[in-house]
Amino acid sequence: MSLRDKILQSVDIPSEMVEVPEWGVSIEVRGMSGSDRVRIFDTIAVDGEIKAGTLYVETVLVTAYDPESGARVFDEGDRAALMEKSAQALDSVIKRVLEINGMSSEADAETAASFQG
C-alpha cells in the first residue's frame, strides 16, 4: 500500500461521548475534518471580523452526532434554537470539542476563551 493510500484510508478523526445533564442525553462529539473547519471559518467571518457567538454555535452544529445513528444531531436550521439553549450545556460540548481538536493548549488559550465567553 502506498503512503498516499495509507493516509487517505486512515481513520484520523477522533470522537467521544459527552454527557450533557442539562439535556438528559449523551452525545457523540467528533473532531473536525478539514472541510468542517473551513465551513466554520467561512460562516463566522463577517466583513473580515470573527463573530465569536457564531463560532460557538457553528462548532456545535458541525461536531455533535447521534451515537446511535451516526448522523449529525443539528442542522443549519437549528442555529437560532441552539443559541437559546443553556450556555452551561453548550460549554460542556464545546470544552470536549476543543480538547479532541487539539485546541485547548495554552497556545490556543485565546481561541478557547472566545468559546467560553
Side-chain angles (χ1 to χ4, degrees):
M1 180 182 297
S2 73
L3 177 60
R4 175 191 174 277
D5 291 340
K6 286 180 184 178
I7 293 168
L8 295 178
Q9 291 178 15
S10 69
V11 177
D12 60 351
I13 298 182
S15 69
E16 65 182 62
M17 296 298 294
V18 174
E19 185 176 345
V20 187
E22 298 84 357
W23 297 340
V25 301
S26 291
I27 62 171
E28 178 185 1
V29 293
R30 294 185 188 172
M32 289 180 243
S33 67
S35 61
D36 289 338
R37 196 167 286 197
V38 167
R39 171 189 163 185
I40 289 171
F41 285 112
D42 283 350
T43 303
I44 65 169
V46 177
D47 297 327
E49 210 174 293
I50 301 296
K51 301 295 182 185
T54 306
L55 179 62
Y56 192 83
V57 74
E58 284 301 315
T59 301
V60 175
L61 287 173
V62 167
T63 61
Y65 286 80
D66 181 330
E68 291 181 21
S69 70
R72 281 197 172 135
V73 175
F74 306 107
D75 61 36
E76 295 188 24
D78 295 321
R79 256 188 208 97
L82 194 54
M83 287 298 291
E84 297 302 317
K85 299 309 295 173
S86 161
Q88 185 172 341
L90 292 168
D91 283 349
S92 64
V93 175
I94 291 295
K95 284 178 186 178
R96 297 307 305 149
V97 169
L98 290 174
E99 289 174 8
I100 67 173
N101 280 285
M103 298 170 67
S104 61
S105 70
E106 286 187 36
D108 294 314
E110 285 185 36
T111 302
S114 73
F115 282 102
Q116 302 304 317

